[in-house]
Amino acid sequence: MKEKFVHFLAGLTCLLVLACNGTIVPETGDNPDNNVENPDDVPGGGDDADGDKNPVDLSASGTANCYVITSGGQYSFNARVKGNGAATDGLGTPEALSPVSAELLWQDRKSMITDVTLLDGNVVFIADDAPGNAVIAVENANGEIIWSWHLWHPESEIREISTSTGYAIMNMNLGAMSTELGLPAYGLLYQWGRKDPFPGSPVSSGGTVSTTNAPVYDIEGKEVKITASSMSTSTSNTLAYSIAHPTTCMSNGATGNGDWLTAGESSPALWGNPEGGVTVDGKYVNKGSKSVYDPCPPNWMVPPAGLYSTFTASGQYAWVNLGSDGNPTTDGAGNMSVTNYYGEDSFNVCDLNGDGIITMEDYSNGWVFALGPAESSYFPASTRYDGTYAMLMGSMVGLWGNYWTNASASNSDFALAMAFSVADMYGRTQITVSPSANGGKANAFSVRCVRIQ
C-alpha cells in the first residue's frame, strides 16, 4: 500500500451494561424529519384543485445533500440550493444554483427511481416502494454537473440514540438499509469532506476478495461504473472536479499527501469543523456545524471527534493481547485481555451471546458498542475505499471498520476517525479499537450522523 494509514482496534475486560447482554437495545427518540405535518404531503402527493399530483417536498423543512424517503410516491426538492445553503467558517456563503436539467446518476436497485425531471428549479421524481439508495444530479446548459444529491430509502426507521458523550446519534450508518447485523447495515462510503456517497462491498465478509463495489444502475437499468481519478497527474484533484464528477473516487496517488485534494485546494472546513482537532485536558472541544458539503440529511451532521471517546475505557487506542499460538489471551474472568500503551484497558462492546464475557464470539462483522447506560448500536466493519487506488483494494470487508468525524487531524492531510479491526492487512489476527484514530482524507469511510444540537 502506498498510503500512510494508522490502524486501530482494542480488546477489553468489559464492564458490560446489563441491557447489552444478548440483545441490541431498541433505540428511542423521535424522527421529526419523517413527520408529516401537511395532510396532503403524504407519499404519492395530494391532489390540487385541478386533480394534478403535488409531490412531497423533501426540502420543505430544510435543504441538505441527502434526503430520506420512507415509501413510494412522487417527491421533489429544491435544486437551487447547494447543501444546506449556509455560510460556514472557512468556506464562505455558497452561491445559488441555476440548473437547466436533471438526471439520475445511479441507483443501487433497478427501477428504484423513475421520471426524473426539473420543474421551476425543483427536481421532481417518482420512487417505488422498495428500499435503496440513489444519486440525482443537475446540470448547466452545457450538460455539466453542477450539484448532486443522495436519496436514501432505508428499510428500518431512522431514530436517534442518546449517548453518554452528550450526542444523539443515528441508529444506523448513512446509506444503510437496516439496523440488523450484517450487510444491510453497512451503508455507503465517503471520502472526507465530500458530499457524495460511493457504494460499498457486495459481500459482508471477504477479506481482500472483494475489490469492486456493489453494482449500481442508471435509470434504464444499465450498470454504472464507479471510476477513479488519475494516480499519476493531479489536474483533477480539485473541489470543482469532485462536484462535477460525483461518481469518481479521487485518488491521492498524484497529490503527494493523504488528501484527495492538492495542498492548494485542501481545507479543514469542508465538513464544518476547521478547528476540530484541538483538545483541552485530553478532550476534543470543537463540535463544528453542518457545512454545505455535509452528506447527512436535514437536521443531522457528520459527528465531532468527541463522539467516540467512550468506545474504549481509556478513550485511547487499545488492543487485544495475543498468546504464542496467535489467539487472544484472556483475563481471570474469561474476557479478552485488552491493553493500551499505559496498561489495562477494555472495549465498550456488548456481550451479544449473553455468556457474561467478551470474546470474538461477540463480533459479528462488527461490534455492538454500548453508547450509554441502556443504549447500544451495531457498527459494522463496512471497510473503505483505499485512498491511493480509489477503490475497494485490500478492503478487508467484515474485518475493518472506519468511521469519519468532521475534524481534520494535526496533519491536515488526515482526518480523525473511529476505527477497529480484527485482522491486519495480511489476514493475521489483530484485534484493536481506536476512538481517535486518523486516516488519509482520500480514504472513503463510513459515516454515522448525529443530530444537530
Side-chain angles (χ1 to χ4, degrees), residues 283-361:
K283 296 182 179 180
Y284 293 103
V285 295
N286 294 313
K287 297 180 179 180
S289 60
K290 189 178 180 73
S291 77
V292 68
Y293 300 110
D294 186 285
C296 296
N299 301 315
W300 298 88
M301 59 181 272
V302 179
L307 171 70
Y308 299 111
S309 62
T310 62
F311 279 30
T312 64
S314 67
Q316 302 176 41
Y317 167 69
W319 59 88
V320 171
N321 294 316
L322 302 179
S324 58
D325 58 0
N327 294 316
T329 60
T330 59
D331 62 15
N335 297 293
M336 290 188 299
S337 177
V338 178
T339 190
N340 61 43
Y341 293 110
Y342 304 100
E344 286 189 7
D345 208 333
S346 62
F347 299 154
N348 197 13
V349 299
C350 293
D351 177 17
L352 283 188
N353 63 6
D355 63 359
I357 58 175
I358 296 298
T359 68
M360 280 302 295
E361 291 185 3

Side-chain angles (χ1 to χ4, degrees), residues 1-6 252 256-258 388 411 413-414 439-440 443:
M1 294 283 176
K2 288 185 179 180
E3 72 172 299
K4 298 174 288 184
F5 189 75
V6 180
N252 69 339
N257 57 48
T388 298
N411 177 344
D413 300 340
F414 287 68
N443 292 294

